[in-house]
Amino acid sequence: MKKEYKKEVLILFGKRLKELRSQKGLSLRELANECDLDNSYISKVEKGKINIQFGTIVELAAGLKVHPHELFKFDHEWRDEAFE
C-alpha cells in the first residue's frame, strides 16, 4: 500500500473517531478513562498521526459504546492504484 494512501485512511479513521466521541459528548480525557488509554494517544489517533492495533480499536469502540465497525463508517473510495 502506498504511504500517502495509508496516511489518508488514518486521517479519515481519526476524524470518524473524533466525530463519534463528540456525538457522545465525551472529552478526550473521558474517553481515555473509559478505555484505559492516555488522552494524548487518542489525540494522535484522531489526528491520523499514528497507526493503531485492532485491540485498541475494540477498546475505543467499547469506550464509545458502539460496535467497532462504526469506526470505519467514513466516505472513502478505495482505489486500485493504492495497492500497486
Side-chain angles (χ1 to χ4, degrees):
M1 178 180 290
K2 290 185 177 179
K3 194 174 190 175
E4 61 273 2
Y5 190 76
K6 181 179 175 182
K7 180 69 175 166
E8 180 182 336
V9 174
L10 290 175
I11 290 169
L12 290 169
F13 180 88
K15 285 181 179 180
R16 178 64 176 154
L17 173 61
K18 185 174 184 176
E19 175 185 28
L20 288 170
R21 180 177 60 76
S22 295
Q23 286 175 2
K24 299 287 183 172
L26 296 171
S27 69
L28 277 170
R29 190 171 308 275
E30 290 169 330
L31 180 57
N33 288 337
E34 287 289 322
C35 302
D36 197 29
L37 295 169
D38 188 81
N39 60 315
S40 65
Y41 178 82
I42 296 174
S43 176
K44 290 175 188 172
V45 173
E46 287 186 351
K47 292 175 184 172
K49 294 187 180 229
I50 58 173
N51 197 355
I52 62 174
Q53 295 181 344
F54 182 72
T56 306
I57 293 170
V58 172
E59 289 283 337
L60 289 167
L64 292 166
K65 296 176 179 42
V66 298
H67 191 281
H69 80 270
E70 291 294 324
L71 290 164
F72 293 95
K73 287 187 174 180
F74 50 82
D75 288 333
H76 182 70
E77 184 177 323
W78 296 98
R79 301 181 302 271
D80 290 341
E81 66 270 12
F83 303 102
E84 293 176 352

